[in-house]
Amino acid sequence: MAIRKLLIANRGEIAVRIARACSELGIRSVAIYSKADEYSLHVKKADESYQISQDPLSGYLNPHHIVNMAVETGCDALHPGYGFLSENAELPAICKQRGITFVGPSSEAIASMGDKTQARQTAEAAGVPVTPGSRGNLEDVEDAVRQASEIGYPVMLKATSGGGGRGIRRCDNEKELRQNYVRVISEATKAFGSAEVFLEKCIIDPRHIEVQILADSHGNVVHLYERDCSIQRRNQKLIELAPSPQLEENQREYIGELARRVAKQCGYENAGTVEFLLDHDGSFYFMEMNTRVQVEHTITEEITGVDIIKAQIRIASGEELWLKQEDISYRGFAAQFRINAEDPKNGFLPSFGRISRYYSAGGPGVRTDANMYTGYEIPPYYDSMCAKLIVWAMDWPELIARSRRALNDMAIYGVKTTIPYYQQILNHEEFQAANFNTGFVEANPQLLEYSTKTRPEAIATAIAAAIAAQAGL
């Protein structure tokens, strides 16, 4: 079943990315946007664009409204991107009822793997190791205290329907568990509409390794190797790497096979990511499965040559996987830097505003996926990520050198960004030695001690703008 016209149920750089994939496949793309996104790049890149709401969020979060828009505009498919409704089991169910092809897994797979306790049970049934944890969801805080004493502190208190680093707290003792219980329940209810929580044993400063999988409707499942997401702050990823420079080849093959087992066990279809924690003793533990395309899918594309967005669309069309596991290999290393409009020196406070000047990085092995341009006003209602800088190189030392150069090439004026902070990380000896874990950022507060001296070109730009204003240009 060939897809002819596809609605992109998202915004920002991922909507631009999907529109580009549609263009290459000869599929007409339809963008939706809120009033705040009227001048967003995805609105310009799609073949058709329609305003879906006046307020910033409701249009992107109403599955019935979005599917109605797809039907009204003559679309036969819908891609959810990531975030918003991408892991909402209701959206694919509504699409199915209305005869719209959902580019993603089934509503049943989203529901089962979105429930963290059920996902753990699925992994266990597939023979995949999981961290010690509670027996299902917790009944109340007293149940949490009882089970935590059996598991042993520290523990992680997690929202059962959580994701994206939200609804999660580390508890080092009973007092902290009691204090955090109400907070996590509140966060889970507000963010995910569910008050269910569970416990896991806290693995201290692990490495965060995830595996990209593709699965079709004909029973075929392959992995596209792993990504290392250990460079993160408060459970929010900052820099992602593929493949992990910290794994041996036997570990790489082992974790790839574990991910395939999980996908097969839950009858998964389309693109997905199976996430693991790697302990200091070399043990891997299943953490969760993300039933959507990941922000960091880009680096897997760079090392394997597989276009994951186009693969999603082809699989949703009913095509059988054209790749077998033995056909897939990786070449070199890739890094993705999330260019966030934030001020690292001020607690990573969002820095929304107008982009007065923007220069994209380029050159060999450099790719930029962005949603901004000179004159663009970054709205304060959404995630602070305004671009993704993706760098590929043949080996690890070259990747670091090329990443330094690309970050230096990239210039964004008008707002503060995380670019200088990433330069600090690249210069750190432990990162250069490929020896880091999820505690890296917290263990190195000196990374914030960088110069904020204005670059010469920024001064020239400001002078030029002042002269133009004075001349009435």
Side-chain angles (χ1 to χ4, degrees):
M1 178 197 66
I3 292 173
R4 301 182 306 277
K5 191 174 183 180
L6 181 147
L7 183 136
I8 305 167
N10 216 296
R11 63 173 301 278
E13 64 80 22
I14 188 59
V16 174
R17 173 72 183 86
I18 295 167
R20 287 172 171 157
C22 286
S23 178
E24 292 182 19
L25 290 171
I27 296 171
R28 192 164 181 82
S29 59
V30 175
I32 58 173
Y33 63 93
S34 68
K35 181 66 177 176
D37 269 337
E38 187 175 6
Y39 301 107
S40 183
L41 195 60
H42 78 283
V43 177
K44 304 173 186 293
K45 290 294 183 182
D47 295 309
E48 300 175 24
S49 301
Y50 300 93
Q51 185 174 330
I52 198 163
S53 65
Q54 280 290 329
D55 71 279
L57 291 171
S58 66
Y60 296 120
L61 296 173
N62 188 324
H64 289 282
H65 195 176
I66 290 173
V67 177
N68 284 343
M69 180 69 79
V71 173
E72 291 168 8
T73 55
C75 293
D76 50 12
L78 181 151
H79 196 305
Y82 57 73
F84 291 127
L85 296 173
S86 61
E87 292 183 281
N88 184 314
E90 188 180 11
L91 182 58
I94 297 170
C95 284
K96 187 175 182 180
Q97 292 170 1
R98 301 297 300 277
I100 300 292
T101 297
F102 182 76
V103 182
S106 66
S107 58
E108 292 79 12
I110 291 176
S112 65
M113 298 311 287
D115 182 305
K116 299 297 186 285
T117 54
Q118 192 171 338
R120 283 168 56 88
Q121 293 164 4
T122 299
E124 288 180 305
V128 175
V130 301
T131 53
S134 57
R135 299 174 293 277
N137 295 321
L138 299 169
E139 295 178 3
D140 51 34
V141 68
E142 297 305 326
D143 184 30
V145 170
R146 281 194 301 273
Q147 296 206 47
S149 65
E150 296 174 9
I151 297 167
Y153 290 98
V155 295
M156 299 297 286
L157 182 62
K158 293 184 174 184
T160 301
S161 301
R166 294 175 296 172
I168 178 171
R169 287 285 191 284
R170 172 176 166 171
C171 307
D172 289 331
N173 50 55
E174 181 180 331
K175 181 180 178 180
E176 290 186 4
L177 178 57
R178 289 183 180 277
Q179 289 174 338
N180 286 324
Y181 190 85
V182 176
R183 293 174 187 169
V184 174
I185 290 285
S186 177
E187 285 180 13
T189 304
K190 291 176 182 176
F192 313 112
S194 171
E196 293 182 331
V197 294
F198 70 104
L199 284 175
E200 278 185 345
K201 175 69 176 175
C202 179
I203 308 297
I204 309 279
D205 292 336
R207 289 160 175 80
H208 183 162
I209 311 292
E210 64 184 29
V211 179
Q212 177 71 58
I213 62 101
L214 290 175
D216 63 19
S217 57
H218 306 274
N220 301 303
V221 181
V222 298
H223 73 77
L224 302 180
Y225 295 97
E226 83 286 353
R227 298 184 287 255
D228 193 322
C229 305
S230 301
I231 302 297
Q232 52 185 259
R233 174 182 176 271
R234 296 182 179 177
N235 301 310
Q236 298 293 321
K237 300 167 186 173
L238 298 175
I239 301 173
E240 296 100 349
L241 306 160
S244 171
Q246 307 192 82
L247 295 193
E248 302 292 340
E249 284 301 317
N250 62 325
Q251 293 177 302
R252 183 163 288 125
E253 295 301 326
Y254 171 66
I255 194 174
E257 184 53 37
L258 291 183
R260 291 179 69 193
R261 281 193 221 164
V262 172
K264 289 179 179 179
Q265 184 67 32
C266 67
Y268 196 82
E269 293 179 20
N270 215 270
T273 302
V274 185
E275 303 203 12
F276 297 88
L277 296 178
L278 173 58
D279 205 349
H280 295 279
D281 64 1
S283 300
F284 285 100
Y285 297 103
F286 170 83
M287 183 167 62
E288 64 183 14
M289 184 174 189
N290 288 306
T291 55
R292 53 171 168 81
V293 67
Q294 291 279 81
V295 178
E296 59 272 20
H297 73 277
T298 56
I299 50 176
T300 298
E301 293 179 329
E302 295 303 309
I303 65 167
T304 64
V306 177
D307 187 315
I308 292 172
I309 304 296
K310 285 163 66 173
Q312 284 190 287
I313 296 171
R314 291 176 64 181
I315 290 170
S317 299
E319 287 190 36
E320 187 169 1
L321 267 176
W322 51 99
L323 293 168
K324 297 189 182 303
Q325 192 61 58
E326 56 267 27
D327 300 328
I328 301 168
S329 60
Y330 69 91
R331 183 170 178 265
F333 288 88
Q336 176 179 278
F337 301 85
R338 299 192 186 198
I339 309 301
N340 299 331
E342 298 174 350
D343 182 5
K345 282 182 171 291
N346 194 17
F348 289 82
L349 190 72
S351 177
F352 300 112
R354 184 177 181 271
I355 304 294
S356 58
R357 191 76 62 182
Y358 166 54
Y359 299 101
S360 178
V366 177
R367 161 183 169 185
T368 304
D369 285 15
N371 182 49
M372 62 179 171
Y373 49 84
T374 296
Y376 177 64
E377 186 89 22
I378 300 177
Y381 313 107
Y382 310 109
D383 185 270
S384 60
M385 188 178 73
C386 52
K388 301 187 307 196
L389 178 64
I390 303 102
V391 183
W392 176 90
M394 198 64 217
D395 57 40
W396 179 247
E398 185 184 18
L399 178 67
I400 292 175
R402 182 169 287 170
S403 296
R404 279 203 199 102
R405 187 267 299 166
L407 285 166
N408 193 55
D409 283 352
M410 195 176 206
I412 304 169
Y413 302 113
V415 298
K416 295 184 183 296
T417 74
T418 48
I419 290 175
Y421 185 70
Y422 295 150
Q423 289 282 25
Q424 291 284 92
I425 292 176
L426 289 174
N427 290 331
H428 196 285
E429 59 183 11
E430 288 184 0
F431 185 83
Q432 293 176 359
N435 180 27
F436 48 85
N437 54 48
T438 55
F440 177 85
V441 167
E442 283 73 18
N444 291 283
Q446 77 280 4
L447 294 171
L448 294 168
E449 298 170 6
Y450 55 83
S451 172
T452 54
K453 184 179 179 181
T454 305
R455 291 166 58 166
E457 54 265 43
I459 297 173
T461 298
I463 293 172
I467 293 172
Q470 183 68 27
L473 299 177

